[in-house]
């Protein structure tokens, strides 16, 4: 098998140990005679898989007992509708949602939320072309918002917020952590809702995990589809409809793997080391450029540009020849992007750094 390093932003690299275990269990899970793909989601075999996955996830993130963990479908874009439909009912209608606009994904969230409520963009990094986050003291928060939404790591723009923002009164904080969940320690109790698409640090595409504080379960709008009503999903233990069973199974294997590797604290240590290594190479001279303010640089998604962009295709061809894959930047911003999630080993980052130095030298 050819050794490659996959820097895709998502669906993204998975731990090889997890893929090997899934391959070994493909035809027969634990002597059941069935593949997990074939199991009834209501059978004892799969119920045990789902319960263990949730327990390990709770342990990894330290999820308090007064929070529900929901396994849902629809991805992050789906959550942009599911969350307002479940939360704007907290306030008299028409309610207001506060947003901090930090890049492409928070922009999509804002657009969708306007279908269900008034939107107040309390702060925006658009003037800086999303290379920084406005200081908290400049945020124009509403007095009685249904919630404050922010994307704590922008996959496309490479901006990461490493602190917990201050909110007004009892306003719940809603965080899209899709592209950095489990990569750093988080105090879940500071948030009302945390959600994450699985296809970056958790598992294959098709699964979304939502953590909801229990007092926020009962505010769904009448238009909210029953299958996305948080109270109904929580009471059914995420089995209200057929969940993405194989995605939950792989996520469970990833959670067990992370525990064996030392948990989230160890992942954070490794991610700091990988990010420092890569940013140091990009900053060594002006051949490459990362435009994000250093204090907001993402540890997970590192966009960069060649000084001479006519060399882009040559750079990508050389990278591919060396087994360094999926480095082309998102079409909306161009350039390059290296996503270095939990499953990317430091050897992969070192291989990329070696190539960056070699290509610049040539």
């Amino acid at each position: 098998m050819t050794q490659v390093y996959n820097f895709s932003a998502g669906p993204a690299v998975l731990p090889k140990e997890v893929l090997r275990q899934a391959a070994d269990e493909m035809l027969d899970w634990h002597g059941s005679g069935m593949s997990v793909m074939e199991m009834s989601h209501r059978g004892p075999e799969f119920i045990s898989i789902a319960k263990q996955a949730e327990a390990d996830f709770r342990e990894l993130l330290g999820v308090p007992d007064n929070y529900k963990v929901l396994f849902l479908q629809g991805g992050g874009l789906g959550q942009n509708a599911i969350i307002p439909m479940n939360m704007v009912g907290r306030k008299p209608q028409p309610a207001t949602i506060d947003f901090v606009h930090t890049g492409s994904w928070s922009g999509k969230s804002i657009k969708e939320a306007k279908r269900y409520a008034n939107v107040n963009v309390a702060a925006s990094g658009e003037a800086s072309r999303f290379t920084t986050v406005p200081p908290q003291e400049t945020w124009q928060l509403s007095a009685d918002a249904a919630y404050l939404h922010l994307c704590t790591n922008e996959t496309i723009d490479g901006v990461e917020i490493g602190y917990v923002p201050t909110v007004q009164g009892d306003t719940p904080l809603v965080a899209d952590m899709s592209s950095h969940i489990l990569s750093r320690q988080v105090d879940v109790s500071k948030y009302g809702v945390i959600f994450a698409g699985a296809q970056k640090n958790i598992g294959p595409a098709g699964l979304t995990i939502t953590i909801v504080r229990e007092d926020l379960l009962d505010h769904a709008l009448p238009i909210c589809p029953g299958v996305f009503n948080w109270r109904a999903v929580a009471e059914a233990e995420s089995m209200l409809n057929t969940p993405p069973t194989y995605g939950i199974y792989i996520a469970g294997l990833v959670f067990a793997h992370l525990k064996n590797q030392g948990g989230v604290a160890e992942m954070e240590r490794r991610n700091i080391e990988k990010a420092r290594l890569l940013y140091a190479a990009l900053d060594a001279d002006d051949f490459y450029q990362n435009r994000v303010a250093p204090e907001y640089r993402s540890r997970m998604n590192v966009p960069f540009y060649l000084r001479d962009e006519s060399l882009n295709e040559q750079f990508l061809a050389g990278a591919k020849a060396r087994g360094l894959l999926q480095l082309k930047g998102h079409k909306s911003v161009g350039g390059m992007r290296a996503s270095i999630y939990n499953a990317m080993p430091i050897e992969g980052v070192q291989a990329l750094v070696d190539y960056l130095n070699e290509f610049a030298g040539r």
Side-chain angles (χ1 to χ4, degrees):
M1 179 177 173
T2 303
Q3 173 64 62
V4 301
Y5 293 110
N6 176 12
F7 293 93
S8 172
V13 61
L14 285 166
K16 284 188 169 56
E17 297 89 343
V18 166
L19 295 176
R20 291 190 186 103
Q21 183 175 349
D24 291 341
E25 296 176 348
M26 176 60 74
L27 297 179
D28 182 1
W29 183 82
H30 294 201
S32 67
M34 295 181 287
S35 169
V36 176
M37 289 186 188
E38 303 171 303
M39 290 178 181
S40 166
H41 62 294
R42 303 194 188 279
E45 297 87 358
F46 184 74
I47 293 295
S48 70
I49 290 171
K51 285 186 178 297
Q52 189 62 56
E54 180 181 336
D56 287 344
F57 179 75
R58 283 181 171 274
E59 181 181 341
L60 284 165
L61 272 186
V63 179
D65 291 340
N66 64 322
Y67 285 72
K68 294 295 186 182
V69 173
L70 310 178
F71 294 132
L72 295 167
Q73 292 152 305
L77 283 178
Q79 291 298 314
N80 287 338
I82 293 168
I83 288 171
M85 283 194 290
N86 275 279
M87 290 194 68
V88 297
R90 295 183 64 248
K91 300 293 180 180
Q93 302 302 298
T96 296
I97 306 169
D98 281 349
F99 278 86
V100 179
H101 190 189
T102 52
S104 299
W105 287 105
S106 53
K108 293 177 186 292
S109 301
I110 290 167
K111 181 179 179 181
E112 183 65 25
K114 288 178 179 178
R115 298 172 178 265
Y116 311 101
N118 295 324
V119 166
N120 170 48
V121 179
S124 175
E126 192 167 10
S128 72
R129 301 184 70 177
F130 301 117
T131 58
T132 189
V133 178
Q136 282 190 83
E137 58 268 22
T138 68
W139 297 6
Q140 301 297 310
L141 298 172
S142 304
D144 198 30
Y147 60 92
L148 169 61
H149 177 118
L150 71 158
C151 179
T152 48
N153 189 78
E154 288 280 1
T155 320
I156 293 173
D157 302 278
V159 170
E160 183 170 15
I161 300 174
Y163 58 85
V164 181
T166 302
V167 294
Q168 297 272 57
D170 67 345
T171 302
L173 184 58
V174 173
D176 176 357
M177 294 191 181
S178 292
S179 51
H180 72 163
I181 196 165
L182 298 173
S183 73
R184 63 189 303 151
Q185 297 179 88
V186 172
D187 184 351
V188 175
S189 70
K190 301 293 186 184
Y191 298 84
V193 179
I194 294 171
F195 70 92
Q199 68 274 16
K200 302 177 189 300
N201 259 335
I202 292 176
L207 168 68
T208 304
I209 297 181
T210 303
I211 308 169
V212 186
R213 202 173 65 217
E214 289 181 349
D215 63 290
L216 300 174
L217 290 172
D218 297 307
H219 304 289
L221 295 174
I223 63 169
C224 181
V227 74
F228 293 134
N229 182 296
W230 285 344
R231 171 58 71 182
V233 175
E235 289 181 350
E237 298 183 319
S238 298
M239 302 293 169
L240 186 61
N241 67 329
T242 306
T245 54
Y246 202 75
I248 293 170
Y249 159 68
I250 296 293
L253 297 185
V254 171
F255 301 152
H257 171 74
L258 292 180
K259 286 174 60 179
N260 290 335
Q261 295 294 304
V264 174
E266 173 60 16
M267 290 302 106
E268 182 166 19
R269 185 196 67 77
R270 295 181 190 180
N271 290 325
I272 290 171
E273 183 181 5
K274 291 186 296 184
R276 283 176 176 168
L277 178 63
L278 181 51
Y279 282 116
L282 294 172
D283 291 341
D285 58 40
D286 66 352
F287 189 88
Y288 303 105
Q289 183 183 45
N290 173 272
R291 298 169 181 170
V292 178
E295 64 270 29
Y296 290 110
R297 285 177 167 180
S298 172
R299 296 174 185 168
M300 296 286 97
N301 307 103
V302 183
F304 61 95
Y305 301 84
L306 277 64
R307 178 183 59 203
D308 180 357
E309 295 202 59
S310 69
L311 297 173
N312 283 0
E313 293 306 316
Q314 184 180 338
F315 176 89
L316 289 168
K320 184 176 181 181
R322 288 158 179 77
L324 308 173
L325 307 182
Q326 304 294 329
L327 284 167
K328 187 173 183 178
H330 192 272
K331 61 184 179 182
S332 64
V333 295
M336 309 298 163
R337 175 176 52 174
S339 294
I340 50 176
Y341 299 122
N342 283 347
M344 173 59 66
I346 194 165
E347 291 82 6
V349 178
Q350 185 62 61
L352 175 56
V353 166
D354 291 343
Y355 176 60
L356 290 171
N357 292 336
E358 176 199 326
F359 188 83
R362 252 188 310 119

